[in-house]
Structure formats: structure tokens, C-alpha cells
């Protein structure tokens, strides 16, 4: 009745192991006593016994400790939970039996939640992402009300063009919840959604996706599965394409949320495939291949690659050539490709966006291995509304994803509102165009500002951020050095930025700055603050 | 490696197994309805939907409120200025005011006998998402939860599919009105232990689906004591809490633990939703409420997979803040449910069909058609079910979908139709029963 058991193996199995070990010790001991085996066994066996004892204590201590302190991937140690106030040695020995004998009036003992829950709650609590968010929440910058507050540069949100959406709403003031009564009345949206109502929304979304990608591709609404945001879309695809224990290859640096979306509840692993600044952080097929082979050696089955295009945090667009190479690679290894294109409409600059869908349209082969993730959180600035899309050419995946999406469906009134908005093609066109212009403007200004401080950014064409090389300012060329700089930026400069280590970048010193929550006026303020820290770092080195 | 021209794309076990449960009659009946939907004037011979527990009884009240309160909808001129904040808001804590009104609403439904802490309220993708999230938080793959049967068919999917958790049914029998007893739970628990299955908790649906009954204080207390003794979790699905239209009154587990001095609250959790009580399944509002801090924290982080649309949160904050509206809604809703339930059960009784005695809640009733079965087997029950769907043209849910032990029981939902449709449905059943009676069926 152990409550600390993390593994799936039940108690009797563990007892059997212990029993077997005992037998394996007793028989040779008899041999030693009777003179067979001699000195060798006489010295080995006590050592082995001692070893097993240590192993047993260590295993149980690990189980107890990992409940209290598990920290997958977080750079800082977490604080221990209140239930761990006791000595570790005591915790190591399961006390379930003694607790069962206590009267029911005893105070609550440690109750086991799932191992998964413990890992999630304890791990990452002190991650830079969370710490930074918290600081901004507590002390948000406001030009007038709180000019010394923390400026948010760590959230990839686009506030630049919300006014356009707002304007549309006011002009098209339709009571979308009750458009005309009758079939479109409350019973039309409050109830479980009939199939055809959902289709109307899918048609609108398909059309929007096509417009966003400049009408080069047309998207078939029948190949869409809707989800409550892109977060569950990624998770659902992970559940569909891989079993627990399998893995996906993901080029780094990557969006920190993938660790949650791909791994938390699925049991699927991510194998990071490093991209280098020398390559402008572009994907290398060689690196993918190497990672695939290494995975195989470790006994990990790779089920697919997840790429983001435009990429986050770097902002690269994948060239047509790269897309073809990825497809070749996937075909050769017989694996899937998940292309996260959630920022397809948020490009700026001269390079053209090419969707995976474009490549596939031209070749009939391999349609079944390509899946695209999209959503309205970035391109339409509506993260609160929770609209995500899985777009696949694989009917089996669509069928499975549709069922899995029941855990993450989109609110009906939101669908109703968006059908109206997305169907207004004039508005959509205008929005995409103006949004791009504003992004471009901010990007150019921001990057120029950093350049004046001697900080270079990779050339990027998409996303709401720039990827800056601050390795010149870090005290030691390591993750530790990078995090020290991050800390200075947060607490001295009072700007919240995302350190490259959170994105699994192998080269220390890179930071992501999101500029889309700022106005132009804020840029000089940000630069001034960075300069302050820059001077501190330079004077100390 | 690639085989021939077409590469074989192997998907995961989850994607290819049957554990989504959508191949059961419960879901097949819906297809029959979709193909041939009843309409009083346009398609009077169509299939009447009695298999979906939806509450449509008070839509008129909501429509009126919406018209009178345009600020609540951000998609109106009046409400549009709040739009920017709402559109951007994706904090998984949820809008504070939203959690506060939900807490107050839950308190109101429980006669203000308990208080709920808004900081313990976590969102999920409907109750569907809440059911699953609790399993992810409380159990590891291979662990099990005890579930009194008959139970809601989609538990098979929600509790097991992606989580790898097992369901161990706790048998309830018609001989004592399907009442759940501590003894039955203990038997199921013991059997699981003997098979080396690690039981992590017990799920109660109170009010019960499909039975439409509520648990009494004594039973609830004994079950809370049981989980405390075994140090396992108690998850109470209270999504039908405001559908109690008759005595005995609804008793929430929140009330029970107030009365018990020595209860480990870390074991107690509540599932809620606005889909049944308010009739808003389309809004996808699932609520996880836990007295356990770790579970709240974990569930909140997982809520990223099923957040409630901020537009919906905003609207509901307005709606549920209107106490006058809420009081009126709850009282009218109960009256209409009581009437619907009464009309149906009375009408059925007149032709010799009984429904579960003592049912006082839910959007459905549990009907005993055992007398119409050719033999007391589930095969016969399915045969009868097909006749009811295809010939009588009513989509009802056969008891086998609910994993009960005794064939012949059917769940019929009545709260999703107006009086006119209800009369047609009742007439069809009565005619069918009388016709079958005339054929001289023995065993009545």
C-alpha cells in the first residue's frame, strides 16, 4: 500500500525483487561458510549487501525527494514543499502502514497525487518565464501611472493592431449572441453544437488561413479540426502521432511552451536538435539526421519533427528548399512533420512566407505525414478567445483529432462572433496589411535601437520579437552567466525578456525581446534601461 | 521504411484504439437523430432526441436578459470598449470576477449553506475536460478509480482514454433503488486490492446520471469516512446540482465536510459545469474545484489545454452577477423540470411503465422496460432499443451504455424539448407500449 510508489509496478513486484535478492545472497553465503567460494565471495557478499541497502534507501529517498523537489528543466532549484519539513531519511521509508494504524483523528498525512502532478507543480515554478511574468503583474509599467514599473517584453502578444478589430466590432455592432432570433437565437449557440453550425466556422477559418498566406494555398474546411487554442492542438497531435515513450525532433531554440504541450501529459519526449548562430539558426538536415541516429541508439523511437514557421524565438522563415528537404528527410525516416504556422500572418520584411501546405499541394506523395497547426491568437490578436486549428491531410489523424478535441472545444458564442468577422474579407485584408506594416515598423526601430547599443539581432522576417545576441555582456559564457544577465535586466533595468536557455538554445547569451506589446514611445525608454545594465556589465568585466 | 509508393503512416495507440467509446449505441443513436431530426411542423415523423441531457427549459429567460443587457456582449456597440482587455486575456487563472461569480453561483445552488473560495476555482474544457484533468492530477497510468454503476457513458473516454486510468464499477441494484452503499464500495475496493490494482479514488455523480437521484447525508458521510480511511480521493461530479426539483434537497460534499471534524480535505474535489444547470453546454465552461493545493495548482496549469474563452467569461460574469436573474432562473428552471418529469412519469405509469422511484433531479428519467424484453439479457435490450430508435423514432439511451448489471432500463431526456414535442414523445412511447402489450407479451 505504498503511497510513494512512482512507477507503475505494484508492491508485490517490489517485494518479489527483494525476496529474490535475499535468496541470491543466502546461498553463496552458505557456500562461503562451508568453504566453497572462499575469500572472494566472503568479501564480495557483504559489499553487495551494503550496496543493495544503499540502493534501497536511495530509491526510496529519490521517490520521496522527487515528490518534493522535482525540477525538470528549470534552471533554479525550487523551494521544498511544506510537507517535506521532516528529515529526508525518515521520509525515505514508506510510512503508509503506520499511518493506517493511526486513529482517523490524526492530522492529514501526505496524500499522493499523481507523479505527473507533482512534477508539473514543483518543476518550473521558478523558471525565468514564470518569475518574469509575476514581476510584471506585480509592478506593470505605465507611462504615466507607473513609469518605473517592469516593461513586458517577454510575452509574444500583439497589441499593435487591436484597435482595428475593436473598430470592426463597433461598426458591425451586431448582437452576435442573438442575431435575429429564431434559429440564430440563444438555443443556436448555447446548446451542443450541431455539425453544420461548426462547418460554417470552419469555412470561415479556412478562408482566413488562405488569405493570411496570400491566397497561394486554399484550405479545405473538411481537413480542419478546431481546438481551444494552439496549445491543445499541439498536444492533440502529440497524442495522435506518438505513443508514450516515443519522441519528436524539435530544432532549438524553440518555443518554451512545447515542453508543456508535447510532453506533460503524453509521456512523449522532445529531442532538441541544435541550430547555430553561424547558420543564422536555420535548420540543418545533418543535425536532424545526427539526432535521429542518436535517438535510435538510445532506443528512442522518433515519430516526427515539429518545426515552427515563422520560428519562435528567432523569427526565421523556412525557405521552400528547407521545406522540401524536411519532407525528404521525413519520407526517408517514415516520420511525421508538424508545422506550427501560427505566425504565418505576422511576417514583416521582404522574404515570402511559404506554408507546408504549399509544398504538399504540388506533390501528392506524403500528404499523410504532414500536419499544420494554426490559430487566431497571433495573427488576429485574439488569444483570449481560444481558437486553434489542426489542419491535416491524413484522414485517420483528422478522425482521431476530432474526438480528442472534445476535451478542448471552442466556445460557441466565440465561433458566432468570429464567423462574422472572418467572413468580412475586406476587413481581413486590411487588417493583415496594416498589421504587417506596423510590425515591420516596430521591428526596424527596435532592432536599430539595440544596434546602437552594440547588440546585434539575427535577421528575421516573422513574429513579434527579435532574437538578440547579448553574449558580449555576460560575465561567463554559460547558462549561469546568461541567467545572471537576465536577472539584471529584470531587476535593474526592469524589463522582462526571455533568456535563450528557456528556449533550449545551446549558445549562451541570446535573448528574445517582444516588441509588439509596446508603442513607439516606449522604445527609447527600453533602450535607455538596457544601456544602464550594459554599462554595469561592461564596467565589471 | 517506405513500403511501395504509399508510405504507411502509423499513428499512436490512442489515435487508433476504441477507447473514445464513440462506437457505442449511446453515440449511434445520435446519428439516427442527426439523419432525421424531428420538427413539429416540418418533419413530424422525424426522430425525437431523448438521448442528450440538455437543459433548454429556460432559454427564453436568458434571451430576454441578453436583450436587456447589451454591455455583457462585447460584440455590441455598448460592450465593445471592453473588448481589447478581453481579447488579449489568456491568463490561466481566469478572470477574477468570473471566478467570484461562479463561486457565488455554486454557493447559491447549495442554499448558501457552504462557501467556495474563488481562488480554488480552475477552468477546464467543459466537464469533459474537468473529468479528464482530475485523472491526470490524481492518478498515474494503470491506477484505478471506483465508479458507481450505472454511470455516464462518456466516463469511459473522459477518465480512461488518454490518462491510462482504469474504471472499477461499483455495482448498484434495482432491488434497493440503485442506491449506492458503503458496503458495495468496500467490496469493489477489496476486489481491486486483491487483483493488485492501485485504487486512487472514488468518483460520485451527485445528482446521479442516469438515475436522477441524490445521495443522502448519511451515505455521503460514510463515503467521506471511507476515503479518509483508505486515504484515497473523492471526486464529486455535481454538475446537475441545480436540477434538483423535488425533495430530498441536494446535499453537496462541501456541506458534508463542514460537518465532519476530522476529514482530510486534500482528498476532496468537485467537478462542476454550466452545461446542465444553466443550459450552456455550447459555452464549454468546466469547473474544477479542489480543496487540495497541489491539485489546484496542477489543474490550473493544465487548464491551458481547455481555457474558457475570455469573451464567454466576460459574458457570464455579467449574467451571473445579476442576482435577481439568477434567483428567477433557478426557481423557474426547477418548476419546469418538475413539471416535465411529472408529466412524463405519470403518462408512462398509466400504461404500466415505471420509472425509478424517488428520482428528484437531472434532466432525464430512468425507465424500466424490463417487461417488454423478450428475455432478460442485454442482447434483448439492444434489440428493443433498435426498435425504439428506428420504429418508434425516439433516440433513447439503452442501459447497457451505462454499464449497469440489469438489462431493460433506459434513460430518457426530457428537458431539451418544448411541451408540444414532449407530448408527441410521450404519445409515441405509450402507443408502443400498448401495442406490445396487445401482442400478448408474457413476463409483465
Amino acid at each position: 500500500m505504498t503511497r510513494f510508489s512512482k512507477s507503475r509496478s505494484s508492491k508485490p513486484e517490489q517485494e518479489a525483487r527483494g525476496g529474490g535478492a535475499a535468496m541470491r545472497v543466502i546461498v553463496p553465503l552458505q557456500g562461503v561458510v562451508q568453504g566453497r567460494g572462499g575469500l572472494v565471495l566472503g568479501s564480495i557478499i557483504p559489499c553487495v549487501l551494503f550496496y543493495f541497502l544503499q540502493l534501497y534507501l536511495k530509491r526510496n529517498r529519490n521517490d520521496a525527494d522527487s515528490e518534493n523537489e522535482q525540477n525538470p528543466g528549470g534552471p533554479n532549484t525550487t523551494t521544498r514543499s511544506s510537507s517535506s519539513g521532516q528529515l529526508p531519511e525518515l521520509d525515505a521509508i514508506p510510512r503508509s502502514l503506520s499511518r493506517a494504524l493511526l486513529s482517523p483523528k490524526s492530522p492529514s498525512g501526505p496524500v499522493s497525487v499523481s507523479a505527473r502532478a507533482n512534477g508539473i507543480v514543483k518543476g518550473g515554478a521558478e523558471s525565468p518565464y514564470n518569475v518574469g511574468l509575476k514581476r510584471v503583474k506585480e509592478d506593470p509599467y505605465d507611462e504615466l501611472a507607473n513609469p518605473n514599473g517592469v516593461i513586458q517584453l517577454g510575452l509574444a502578444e500583439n497589441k499593435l493592431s487591436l484597435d482595428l478589430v475593436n473598430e470592426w466590432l463597433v461598426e458591425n455592432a451586431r448582437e452576435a449572441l442573438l442575431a435575429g432570433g429564431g434559429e440564430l437565437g440563444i438555443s443556436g449557440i448555447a446548446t451542443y453544437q450541431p455539425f453544420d453550425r461548426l462547418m460554417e466556422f470552419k469555412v470561415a477559418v479556412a478562408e482566413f488561413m488562405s488569405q493570411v498566406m496570400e491566397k497561394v494555398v486554399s484550405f479545405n474546411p473538411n481537413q480542419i479540426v478546431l481546438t481551444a487554442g494552439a496549445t491543445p492542438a499541439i498536444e492533440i497531435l502529440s497524442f495522435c502521432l506518438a505513443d508514450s515513450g516515443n519522441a519528436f525532433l524539435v530544432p532549438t531554440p524553440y518555443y518554451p511552451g512545447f515542453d508543456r504541450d508535447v510532453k506533460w501529459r503524453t509521456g512523449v519526449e522532445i529531442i532538441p536538435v541544435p541550430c547555430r548562430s553561424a547558420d543564422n539558426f536555420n535548420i540543418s538536415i545533418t543535425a536532424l539526421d545526427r539526432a535521429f541516429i542518436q535517438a535510435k541508439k538510445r532506443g528512442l523511437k522518433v515519430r516526427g519533427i515539429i518545426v515552427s514557421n515563422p520560428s519562435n524565438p528567432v523569427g526565421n522563415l523556412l525557405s521552400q528548399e528547407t521545406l522540401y528537404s524536411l519532407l525528404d528527410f521525413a519520407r526517408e525516416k517514415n516520420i511525421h512533420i508538424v508545422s506550427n504556422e501560427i505566425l504565418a500572418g505576422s511576417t514583416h520584411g521582404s522574404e515570402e512566407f511559404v506554408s507546408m501546405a504549399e509544398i504538399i499541394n504540388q506533390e501528392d506523395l506524403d500528404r499523410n505525414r504532414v500536419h499544420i497547426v494554426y490559430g487566431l491568437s497571433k495573427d488576429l490578436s485574439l488569444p483570449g478567445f481560444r481558437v486553434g486549428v489542426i489542419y491535416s491531410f491524413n484522414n485517420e489523424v483528422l478522425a482521431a483529432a476530432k474526438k480528442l478535441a472534445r476535451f478542448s472545444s471552442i466556445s460557441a458564442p466565440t465561433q458566432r462572433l468570429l464567423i462574422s468577422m472572418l467572413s468580412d474579407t475586406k476587413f481581413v485584408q486590411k487588417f493583415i496589411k496594416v498589421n504587417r506594416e506596423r510590425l515591420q515598423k516596430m521591428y526596424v526601430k527596435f532592432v536599430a535601437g539595440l544596434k546602437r547599443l552594440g547588440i546585434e539581432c539575427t535577421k528575421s522576417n516573422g513574429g513579434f520579437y527579435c532574437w538578440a545576441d547579448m553574449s558580449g555582456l555576460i560575465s561567463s559564457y554559460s547558462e549561469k552567466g546568461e541567467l545572471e544577465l537576465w536577472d539584471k535586466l529584470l531587476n535593474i533595468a526592469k524589463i522582462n525578456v526571455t533568456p535563450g536557455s528557456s528556449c533550449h538554445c545551446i549558445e549562451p547569451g541570446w535573448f528574445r525581446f517582444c516588441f509588439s506589446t509596446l508603442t513607439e514611445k516606449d522604445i527609447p525608454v527600453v533602450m535607455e534601461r538596457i544601456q544602464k545594465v550594459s554599462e554595469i556589465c561592461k564596467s565589471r568585466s | 521504411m517506405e513500403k511501395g509508393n504509399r508510405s504507411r503512416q502509423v499513428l499512436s495507440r490512442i489515435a487508433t484504439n476504441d477507447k473514445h467509446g464513440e462506437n457505442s449505441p449511446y453515440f449511434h443513436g445520435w446519428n439516427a437523430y442527426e439523419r432525421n431530426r424531428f420538427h413539429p411542423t416540418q418533419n413530424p415523423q422525424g426522430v425525437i432526441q431523448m438521448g442528450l441531457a440538455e437543459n433548454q427549459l429556460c432559454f427564453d429567460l436568458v434571451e430576454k436578459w441578453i436583450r436587456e443587457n447589451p454591455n455583457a456582449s462585447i460584440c455590441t456597440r455598448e460592450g465593445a470598449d471592453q473588448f481589447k482587455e478581453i481579447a488579449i486575456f489568456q491568463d490561466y487563472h481566469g478572470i477574477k470576477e468570473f471566478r467570484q461569480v461562479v463561486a457565488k453561483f455554486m454557493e447559491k445552488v447549495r442554499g448558501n449553506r457552504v462557501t467556495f473560495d474563488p481562488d480554488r476555482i480552475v477552468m477546464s474544457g467543459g466537464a469533459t475536460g474537468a473529468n479528464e484533468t482530475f485523472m491526470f492530477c490524481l492518478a498515474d497510468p494503470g491506477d484505478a478509480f471506483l465508479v458507481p454503476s450505472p454511470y455516464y457513458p462518456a466516463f469511459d473516454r473522459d477518465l480512461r482514454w488518454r490518462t491510462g486510468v482504469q474504471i472499477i464499477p461499483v455495482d448498484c441494484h434495482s432491488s434497493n433503488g440503485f442506491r449506492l452503499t458503503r458496503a458495495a464500495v468496500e467490496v469493489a475496493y477489496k476486489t481491486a486490492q486483491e487483483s493488485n490494482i492501485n485504487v486512487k479514488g472514488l468518483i460520485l455523480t451527485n445528482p446521479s446520471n442516469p438515475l436522477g437521484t441524490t445521495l443522502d447525508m448519511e451515505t455521503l458521510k460514510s463515503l467521506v469516512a471511507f476515503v479518509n480511511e483508505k486515504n484515497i480521493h473523492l471526486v464529486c461530479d455535481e454538475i446537475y446540482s441545480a436540477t434538483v426539483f423535488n425533495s430530498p434537497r441536494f446535499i453537496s460534499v462541501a456541506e458534508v465536510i463542514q460537518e465532519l471534524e476530522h476529514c482530510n480535505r486534500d482528498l476532496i474535489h468537485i467537478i462542476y459545469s454550466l452545461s446542465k444547470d444553466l443550459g450552456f453546454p455550447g459555452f464549454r465552461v468546466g469547473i474544477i474545484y479542489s480543496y487540495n493545493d497541489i491539485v489546484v495548482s496542477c489543474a490550473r496549469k493544465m487548464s491551458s489545454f481547455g481555457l474558457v474563452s475570455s469573451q464567454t467569461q466576460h459574458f457570464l460574469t455579467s449574467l451571473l452577477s445579476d442576482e435577481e436573474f439568477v434567483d428567477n432562473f433557478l426557481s423557474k428552471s426547477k418548476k419546469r423540470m418538475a413539471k416535465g418529469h411529472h408529466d412524463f412519469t405519470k403518462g408512462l405509469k398509466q400504461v404500466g411503465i415505471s420509472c425509478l422511484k424517488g428520482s428528484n433531479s437531472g434532466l432525464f428519467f430512468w425507465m424500466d422496460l424490463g417487461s417488454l424484453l423478450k428475455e432478460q439479457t442485454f442482447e434483448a435490450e439492444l434489440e428493443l432499443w433498435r426498435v425504439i430508435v428506428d420504429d418508434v423514432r425516439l433516440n433513447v439511451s439503452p442501459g447497457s451504455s451505462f454499464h449497469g448489471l440489469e438489462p431493460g432500463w433506459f434513460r430518457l431526456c426530457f428537458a431539451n424539448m418544448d411541451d408540444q414535442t414532449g407530448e408527441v414523445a410521450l404519445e409515441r412511447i405509450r402507443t408502443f407500449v400498448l401495442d406490445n402489450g396487445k401482442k400478448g407479451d408474457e413476463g409483465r
Side-chain angles (χ1 to χ4, degrees), chain A residues 43-55:
Chain A
S43 45
I44 285 179
I45 286 164
C47 295
V48 164
L49 274 175
F50 185 73
Y51 170 75
F52 276 124
L53 177 66
Q54 287 299 305
L55 195 62

Side-chain angles (χ1 to χ4, degrees), chain A residues 522-533:
Chain A
D522 301 322
I523 296 182
V525 179
V526 171
M527 295 306 153
E528 206 185 298
R529 294 186 184 194
I530 299 176
Q531 184 166 36
K532 211 181 352 173
V533 166

Side-chain angles (χ1 to χ4, degrees), chain B residues 306-331:
Chain B
L307 291 175
V308 175
S309 164
S310 52
Q311 175 202 13
T312 305
Q313 290 184 54
H314 173 79
F315 170 75
L316 289 170
T317 303
S318 283
L319 182 76
L320 296 179
S321 304
D322 188 338
E323 298 223 25
E324 206 186 302
F325 165 80
V326 172
D327 289 337
N328 185 35
F329 181 96
L330 288 176
S331 111

Side-chain angles (χ1 to χ4, degrees), chain A residues 3 8 10 12 104-105 108-117 120-122 137 157-159 162-163 165-166 169-170 173-178 185-187 189-192 194 231-232 235-236 239-243 260-261 264-265 303 331-332 334 336 366 368-369 381-386 394 396-397 400 403-404 406-414 417, chain B residues 1-2 5 7-16 20 22 37 52 54 56 59 62-63 66-67 73-77 80 83-84 86-91 93 125 128-129 132-133 136-141 157-158 161-163 196 200 231 233 262 264 266-267 275-276 279-284 292 294-295 297-298 301-302 304-305 307 309-312 315:
Chain A
R3 288 192 308 277
R8 213 179 298 193
S10 54
K105 292 185 184 168
S108 50
V111 167
S112 86
V113 293
S114 67
R116 194 167 11 215
I120 289 170
V121 169
K122 306 307 188 358
K137 231 175 166 179
E157 262 174 11
N158 182 6
K159 288 187 179 170
L162 265 184
D163 58 314
V165 189
N166 205 357
L169 269 185
V170 171
R174 220 168 282 165
E175 287 181 34
L177 276 183
L178 269 189
I186 186 73
S187 63
I189 33 164
T191 54
Y192 291 106
T231 297
E235 192 194 41
I236 286 170
F239 270 119
C240 281
L241 306 177
D243 291 310
R260 167 196 61 199
D261 304 345
W264 268 15
R265 309 193 300 184
R303 300 303 289 266
R331 184 187 306 123
E332 189 195 308
N334 196 20
H336 294 272
D366 303 311
N368 279 337
R369 61 175 86 253
S381 305
L382 301 175
F385 286 13
R386 316 311 304 143
N394 184 322
E396 273 183 69
V397 169
K403 299 183 176 89
L404 289 167
R406 303 214 197 282
F407 295 106
S408 314
S409 1
I410 303 180
S411 176
T414 301
L417 169 62
Chain B
M1 297 306 279
E2 191 179 343
N5 280 334
S7 51
R8 250 179 39 86
Q9 281 308 302
V10 180
L11 303 187
S12 67
R13 281 190 282 272
I14 286 178
T16 48
H20 48 75
E22 292 192 19
R37 285 189 227 169
L52 186 52
E54 233 176 26
Q56 297 190 17
F59 278 158
V62 180
E63 273 178 4
I66 291 175
R67 257 188 274 273
S73 320
I74 54 171
C75 34
T76 59
R77 194 176 291 270
F83 166 77
K84 273 193 209 171
I86 305 288
I88 281 282
F89 187 88
Q90 55 172 331
D91 181 350
H93 287 82
T128 299
E132 191 197 42
T133 299
F136 274 127
C137 290
L138 302 175
D140 291 304
R157 168 194 65 201
D158 299 350
W161 194 17
R162 301 194 292 187
T163 61
N196 284 325
K200 288 309 286 280
N231 206 23
H233 294 278
H262 306 287
N264 180 1
D266 277 348
L267 299 173
S275 301
K276 310 297 180 183
F280 291 157
F283 287 19
R284 311 314 301 142
N292 182 320
I294 296 180
V295 174
S297 177
C298 182
K301 290 178 194 213
M302 288 186 178
S304 299
F305 297 111
L307 291 175
S309 164
S310 52
Q311 175 202 13
T312 305
F315 170 75

Side-chain angles (χ1 to χ4, degrees), chain A residues 484-496:
Chain A
E484 277 170 11
L485 176 57
W486 169 78
D487 189 86
K488 287 198 184 79
L489 288 168
L490 183 63
N491 291 306
I492 301 177
K494 300 192 86 182
I495 58 174
N496 179 33

